[in-house]
Amino acid sequence: MSEKNFSKEHEQYIKKLKTNRFNVIATRTILLVFFIIFWEVAAELQWIDSFITSQPTRVLKTLVNLFTEGTLFKHLFTTVLETIIGFTTSTILGTVIAIILWWSPFISKVADPYLVVLNSLPKVALGPIILVWVGAGPVAIIVMAVLISLVVTISGVYSGFTDVDEAKITLVKTFGATKLQILTKVVLPASYPTITNALKINVGLSWVGVIMGEFLVSKAGLGYLIVYGSQVFQLDLVMTSILILSLAAGVMYQIIAYIEKKLIPYK
Amino acid sequence: MPTPVLSIEKLTKIYHSLNGETLAIKDFTLDIGEGEFIVIVGPSGCGKTTVLSILAGLLFPSSGLIKYSNDEVTLGYMLQDDHLFPWRTILDNVYLGLEIQNRATTENKRRAELLIETYGLGKFKQHYPAQLSGGMRQRAALIRTLAINPEILLLDEPFSALDYQTRMAVTDDIGSIIKKEKKTAIMVTHDLTEAISLANRIIVLTKRPAVIKQIFDIKLTSTDHSPTQNRNAPEFMNYYNEIWKELDVHV
Ligand SMILES: Nc1ncnc2c1ncn2[C@@H]1O[C@H](COP(=O)(O)OP(=O)(O)O)[C@@H](O)[C@H]1O
Ligand SMILES: [Mg+2]
């Protein structure tokens, strides 16, 4: 690909690709801008009741207020930290459990029906029990996040393990590999794509768990702001919190995508 | 024959499953001399892979004996597909066996790297397998096997995943590498041309349970004994027809 002299056709092809990309990004931006303007105008002209729908300028004002009061980062930090702890815990725990299941087919067979039931159980139903058991605090929120994402992580990672090409395992066995070597040299690296996919789902579920937990426990965090805002009918606060939440979730997703790229350079 | 490097005595293997048992090989007896190139042919499903798997220690025989001339004999196994790890570069793929056997010393690694250079993959050391052609990948797989410096090579239809033309080229290529490295080799194939052009002896197996039906000593009067030249030897067609008849293929 080091050649500099491309044919005219190739140049046109590249140009077309670039135009296409530009069009997509431009349309995205226009849609967003249009939506914000429409929202603002509709609220200004009182087509919609900005008391319950809020409006962009009010969101902005709330944002500035939160920022100057110094509470913005406190709430954001609380939620992000809980999510990261929840996410990391369920990733590590889920991977360890998946390794145990892979290591012992016996345990895996025994555990199978339990995992199926746990998987289909709506974990939110356990919320009140968690509150009773660990108290209404950050721990409860993290436990909630872990519960929601753990089983998905286990089954995602474990199915990655079992999908590993049997012949690759045979190959390392011909070199005399131990079970631990099979795990570290073949099964884990071969599963990186599935594991990172599981992580992407996991991070989303961790947010769900944390916000759910904050709804229930409500002392600080974006989830708390949302609940509080709706209770005192301050929809500006609710909208602002949701906006910050989407930004934070987007950033975290990008970080995972970046890790994925680092981990799987051969893709 | 000089003292064999490997003698197999009355090897028998039964597979068990819920639905019953399968007698895969029965009383398989064979002595293999040093530097010999043995090719095993037989109907598909007759038990060829099973024989190699037992020799490689991947499976336990139900009965029978396998004796190596010395206890520390190293085996190299080459499978049908290259199974290069996509997440490793060619060089790291070649180091795999050394790493697993905890023998990844600087010296051994240098030797492995030299093999890569010698056999024409030097430029691709830092490439990922996906960037190589099928033939080159198969050669990389052979180098990975040779990197642990095995005395005996076991090859299970190593070329059958390649298209016809590549296969011819790779057979010649890999055949001459094995001869040059003076390895004892036991190869399974269903391609008679491949078999005759590489083998010192061809073992024809019956259909399952695999029993040795006949053994052909291959003596070709060609100039340099390269697989290419071997294919043009005057005796080639004769062997081909005889072995084909022994195989007794019904469609
Ligand atoms: N793990 C196994 N369990 C049960 N039967 C098996 C197993 N592996 C192979 N077999 C049976 O043993 C026979 C020989 O298999 P194999 O050695 O792979 O044949 P070949 O390599 O000659 O095609 C086949 O009929 C196959 O179905
Ligand atoms: Mg086979």
Side-chain angles (χ1 to χ4, degrees), chain A residues 89-166:
Chain A
T89 311
S90 71
T91 298
I92 294 174
L93 202 61
T95 308
V96 169
I97 294 175
I99 289 175
I100 294 172
L101 294 181
W102 173 82
W103 197 281
S104 161
F106 178 76
I107 296 180
S108 148
K109 274 191 200 128
V110 172
D112 188 54
Y114 298 111
L115 285 176
V116 170
V117 171
L118 281 181
N119 199 13
S120 40
L121 176 77
K123 264 68 75 178
V124 185
L126 301 175
I129 304 178
I130 298 169
L131 289 189
V132 173
W133 284 355
V134 303
V139 179
I141 295 170
I142 291 165
V143 171
M144 195 75 209
V146 171
L147 270 186
I148 285 192
S149 54
L150 183 65
V151 183
V152 174
T153 311
I154 296 174
S155 45
V157 175
Y158 179 65
S159 79
F161 286 177
T162 50
D163 279 352
V164 173
D165 185 4
E166 211 35 62

Side-chain angles (χ1 to χ4, degrees), chain A residues 21-33:
Chain A
R21 216 173 97 92
F22 175 80
N23 287 345
V24 169
I25 294 174
T27 312
R28 267 185 206 152
T29 317
I30 291 169
L31 263 181
L32 184 66
V33 171

Side-chain angles (χ1 to χ4, degrees), chain B residues 101-120:
Chain B
Q101 300 180 349
N102 295 319
R103 287 163 52 206
T105 59
T106 326
E107 192 196 329
N108 284 339
K109 279 164 103 173
R110 179 133 7 98
R111 215 188 68 87
E113 207 172 338
L114 202 70
L115 282 171
I116 299 182
E117 308 278 354
T118 313
Y119 296 119

Side-chain angles (χ1 to χ4, degrees), chain B residues 44-45 47-50 80 156-157 188:
Chain B
S44 111
K48 304 179 292 289
T49 298
T50 306
Q80 180 169 331
D156 194 355
E157 310 199 24
V188 165

Side-chain angles (χ1 to χ4, degrees), chain A residues 167 171 175 181 185 189-190 266, chain B residues 77 83 86-87 99-101 144:
Chain A
L171 172 80
F175 290 125
Q181 283 176 322
K185 302 275 181 198
Y266 55 91
Chain B
Y77 199 143
H83 297 300
W87 59 88
E99 281 174 29
I100 286 173
Q101 300 180 349
R144 176 185 57 199

Side-chain angles (χ1 to χ4, degrees), chain B residues 214-231:
Chain B
Q214 189 155 357
I215 298 180
F216 289 88
D217 275 303
I218 305 294
K219 295 218 159 51
L220 299 173
T221 52
S222 62
T223 46
D224 66 352
H225 290 283
S226 71
T228 333
Q229 294 259 340
N230 283 351
R231 278 195 291 273

